[in-house]
Amino acid sequence: MAKQSELEELEALFHCHKDMVFKTAYLILGDTQEAENVLQEVFIKVYRAGDTFRPEKGGFNTWLHRITVNQCISKCRKKHLPFFSLDERLEEGDFDPPGAPSQLPEELLIKQEESERIQRAMKSLDRKHRAVLTLRYFDDLSYDEIAQVLKIPLGTVKSRLNTAIKALRKELTP
Amino acid sequence: MNCKEINQLLLSYLDNEVSTEERDAIVAHLSACPSCREELEALASTQRELRHAFKVITARVSPSSYAWATIKQPLEREEHRRIPILIMVKSKVKRGIDRLRQQPVWQKALACALSVALIVGLCLTIPSLLGQSPEAMAENIALEDPGVQLLLAEKGFSVSSKVYVVAFKSDKRNIYYVHLMRPEDKTLIGIATVDVEEGKRRVIRIELTEASKSYTLRPSGLPEGVSVDAVINVARGNPEVRGFLDAGAEVSRTAYLSSPEKEFVGLALRQDDKELCLVKIDWGKREVVKVYMLDKSHESQTTAIRTDVVPGMMDGKLTVSSTFERIEI
């Protein structure tokens, strides 16, 4: 049986990083259920395969991002998921987290419209471009960190980001 | 560099990921090329839109409340193992200490400084390993707050009562809503708003579900311009409290709760490192309205027990998460 204290250590890690893992996976996969599956797989992997973590090759954050992105990509491969299968449930309406102040309807509508436009544009990109944009503009990783997460040369990070953002802009242009 | 070459570098330039030479070349080119300036502005605008949209999109989603329980379940059946990341942190520090013992003095001093840097570095890299989660912290702050305890006592919770708590992150940084629930039927008793930011860790506000009562707490734990001695003087008006104070009891904690209708001061009295009672003072009337006795056999005020997850819906909107705590008041 696993020791309670070890699971508590993992639980502390989970609570600290669950949002990052879940939201990164959601932006790459576009589906909350798939993101939830990735979240579970990632932390089970952290527990079982933590010995593959090499601090000299980058921090824990980079390592966790790498597992997250790898899980997302392998999910796409296994299930042939459409890259961005927009989550229908979200479009039906949001609910505020408990206690959170609700926004003005107009404000919500404008934000919703803008973000849906971007979501549609993201849908047209392939997964490696979605991943690189998510890591840079959601997770705020540096180019060097992205290179470590995706295990690609720095030059490839630059060119991939360039291609991704230009493709996105093309989609956003009316 | 020509426009095509500059164009390839503009994104990296905006992301601050170019060399000094590249930066100089880009700046020189931009000052003379309106079309590249236009391209730079367009790229910057897409970046801004993207960052903003990612925030909006992700604000609408969050992991389910039973995610941790689903992860924990299969792992509980597995053999003992340390999380290797944690072992690595500990072994690095230990190796450093072992080496230190075999080194000459000047090397020890240097190694010592480096070890401190290493530990600080590790602390910065993996902060989550060295402390509790902010949710757990918020829950503990709420449970240990005398104001929260006073209101729980008010609600009929005795020394052996259990209260289930669960923290939800608000949309503000470092602010958590801790839901206090009855253990029998998980009905919501109230919500404590907790600031977990270092140096500010405290309960800011308590809302009771019944009759929409809401209390604001002052960080000093006292009414404005009132000293602890003034509160003690009022408390002495009660013979029981006076007895405790005369026997050497001291005030260990105070809380001040105010709502539009009422003002209360809560005092916790301690003797020989054990808390004796919670005293509730109606500050409007300047009189003790109730003394809640604390069981002396209990070493600590709060005992945390983690129990199994109870996923489910509450009041049609609240989902209970995996962390439950018991409080003894």
Side-chain angles (χ1 to χ4, degrees):
Chain A
M1 293 283 281
K3 254 192 186 170
Q4 199 57 32
S5 62
E6 292 151 15
L7 287 175
E8 277 171 13
E9 282 161 11
L10 185 72
E11 190 180 0
L13 275 179
F14 171 78
H15 285 298
C16 249
H17 300 283
K18 64 178 185 211
D19 280 344
M20 181 281 283
V21 173
F22 178 83
K23 292 179 177 190
T24 299
Y26 177 67
L27 286 174
I28 299 175
L29 297 167
D31 183 280
T32 43
Q33 191 49 55
E34 290 296 340
E36 178 95 7
N37 293 343
V38 166
L39 174 69
Q40 290 164 11
E41 286 155 12
V42 165
F43 279 93
I44 288 176
K45 200 156 183 171
V46 166
Y47 188 77
R48 289 183 183 152
D51 45 2
T52 59
F53 170 60
R54 297 278 174 275
E56 65 276 12
K57 288 191 176 172
F60 175 71
N61 209 29
T62 311
W63 184 68
L64 198 59
H65 272 99
R66 187 184 305 147
I67 304 177
T68 307
V69 173
N70 285 347
Q71 289 292 333
C72 290
I73 290 175
S74 74
K75 235 173 214 319
C76 289
R77 278 202 201 109
K78 272 186 216 156
K79 291 196 175 178
H80 304 291
L81 278 179
F83 189 60
F84 219 78
S85 66
L86 262 189
D87 216 331
E88 301 299 327
R89 276 166 294 176
L90 279 176
E91 308 217 308
E92 290 166 11
D94 310 325
F95 76 92
D96 289 326
S102 48
Q103 285 172 296
L104 294 170
E106 302 83 7
E107 233 176 273
L108 204 66
L109 204 68
I110 294 167
K111 278 189 179 177
Q112 186 110 346
E113 265 175 31
E114 280 171 9
S115 62
E116 275 169 20
R117 223 163 56 93
I118 302 266
Q119 269 187 319
R120 278 195 296 275
M122 282 281 281
K123 205 174 167 184
S124 67
L125 305 183
D126 66 24
R127 63 167 178 257
K128 59 181 189 181
H129 289 123
R130 279 199 298 256
V132 84
L133 287 178
T134 302
L135 292 173
R136 178 69 197 117
Y137 298 110
F138 174 68
D139 292 306
D140 263 327
L141 297 193
S142 67
Y143 285 16
D144 202 38
E145 286 167 325
I146 297 172
Q148 287 174 40
V149 168
L150 299 176
K151 289 191 175 164
I152 53 174
L154 197 62
T156 313
V157 174
K158 289 185 182 182
S159 59
R160 198 174 282 183
L161 264 171
N162 254 315
T163 314
I165 209 146
K166 281 175 185 164
L168 193 81
R169 237 173 76 194
K170 209 173 152 193
E171 285 296 321
L172 290 172
T173 314
Chain B
M1 276 196 257
N2 61 28
C3 286
K4 197 178 169 193
E5 288 165 321
I6 292 289
N7 231 284
Q8 287 300 312
L9 289 173
L10 287 181
L11 191 65
S12 307
Y13 171 70
L14 284 171
D15 284 334
N16 211 12
E17 297 267 2
V18 287
S19 64
T20 321
E21 296 77 36
E22 284 171 330
R23 178 178 308 278
D24 292 345
I26 294 164
V27 171
H29 183 94
L30 286 174
S31 64
C33 180
S35 73
C36 282
R37 279 204 303 272
E38 205 175 299
E39 175 64 13
L40 183 77
E41 187 40 52
L43 274 176
S45 150
T46 311
Q47 277 188 331
R48 278 195 302 271
E49 269 188 80
L50 198 56
R51 280 186 206 277
H52 179 72
F54 280 173
K55 263 190 205 160
V56 174
I57 296 165
T58 55
R60 302 186 306 200
V61 293
S62 55
S64 72
S65 57
Y66 47 83
W68 169 245
T70 320
I71 294 164
K72 192 171 115 181
Q73 212 177 12
L75 297 180
E76 270 177 331
R77 291 191 293 270
E78 288 186 10
E79 289 209 353
H80 280 196
R81 56 180 300 154
R82 305 290 307 164
I83 301 175
I85 305 155
L86 202 65
I87 295 175
M88 245 172 266
V89 174
K90 286 176 181 166
S91 67
K92 260 176 186 270
V93 175
K94 188 176 177 303
R95 271 203 308 274
I97 292 167
D98 288 346
R99 269 204 308 273
L100 204 58
R101 290 199 181 110
Q102 303 154 7
Q103 285 164 348
V105 176
W106 69 270
Q107 280 186 11
K108 280 184 189 176
L110 180 64
C112 208
L114 289 174
S115 298
V116 171
L118 171 70
I119 295 165
V120 170
L122 287 167
C123 292
L124 292 173
T125 321
I126 323 176
S128 57
L129 292 174
L130 300 159
Q132 55 192 162
S133 69
E135 284 89 354
M137 190 188 290
E139 287 161 5
N140 288 334
I141 292 170
L143 289 176
E144 283 160 17
D145 184 272
V148 171
Q149 293 182 355
L150 196 70
L151 289 174
L152 287 173
E154 185 85 336
K155 287 276 180 182
F157 284 84
S158 65
V159 175
S160 56
S161 298
K162 288 178 181 178
V163 171
Y164 285 148
V165 296
V166 56
F168 295 93
K169 196 176 181 327
S170 76
D171 58 349
K172 292 189 195 80
R173 205 175 134 84
N174 298 320
I175 302 291
Y176 287 78
Y177 300 114
V178 178
H179 291 245
L180 308 156
M181 292 167 259
R182 271 182 209 288
E184 308 85 42
D185 52 6
K186 314 287 183 303
T187 51
L188 194 66
I189 305 157
I191 301 172
T193 307
V194 179
D195 190 341
V196 297
E197 193 182 333
E198 190 147 11
K200 284 191 192 168
R201 287 173 187 161
R202 65 182 182 89
V203 176
I204 304 167
R205 187 182 175 81
I206 303 172
E207 287 162 87
L208 296 180
T209 44
E210 280 169 32
S212 314
K213 276 188 188 166
S214 176
Y215 291 96
T216 307
L217 278 89
R218 283 177 61 84
S220 65
L222 293 164
E224 198 173 356
V226 175
S227 67
V228 182
D229 290 340
V231 175
I232 293 173
N233 270 339
V234 174
R236 289 189 80 89
N238 177 287
E240 201 177 358
V241 177
R242 193 165 57 240
F244 289 136
L245 291 167
D246 289 344
E250 292 172 336
V251 172
S252 53
R253 299 171 296 155
T254 65
Y256 172 70
L257 300 97
S258 64
S259 74
E261 295 94 34
K262 292 261 177 195
E263 281 182 286
F264 291 112
V265 178
L267 285 184
L269 295 186
R270 183 185 60 193
Q271 192 163 29
D272 303 329
D273 291 332
K274 276 179 192 159
E275 286 194 324
L276 297 169
C277 61
L278 280 173
V279 181
K280 184 183 174 188
I281 301 168
D282 182 329
W283 197 248
K285 293 181 183 164
R286 300 285 200 278
E287 66 176 20
V288 172
V289 283
K290 189 125 189 178
V291 180
Y292 299 97
M293 292 307 296
L294 300 172
D295 189 335
K296 289 181 193 173
S297 67
H298 288 277
E299 283 287 312
S300 83
Q301 197 70 12
T302 313
T303 315
I305 293 181
R306 300 209 176 260
T307 62
D308 286 336
V309 64
V310 183
M313 298 297 282
M314 294 194 46
D315 298 336
K317 64 170 186 175
L318 294 177
T319 308
V320 184
S321 95
S322 61
T323 314
F324 294 140
E325 308 268 351
R326 182 183 71 174
I327 177 180
E328 296 171 354
I329 55 172

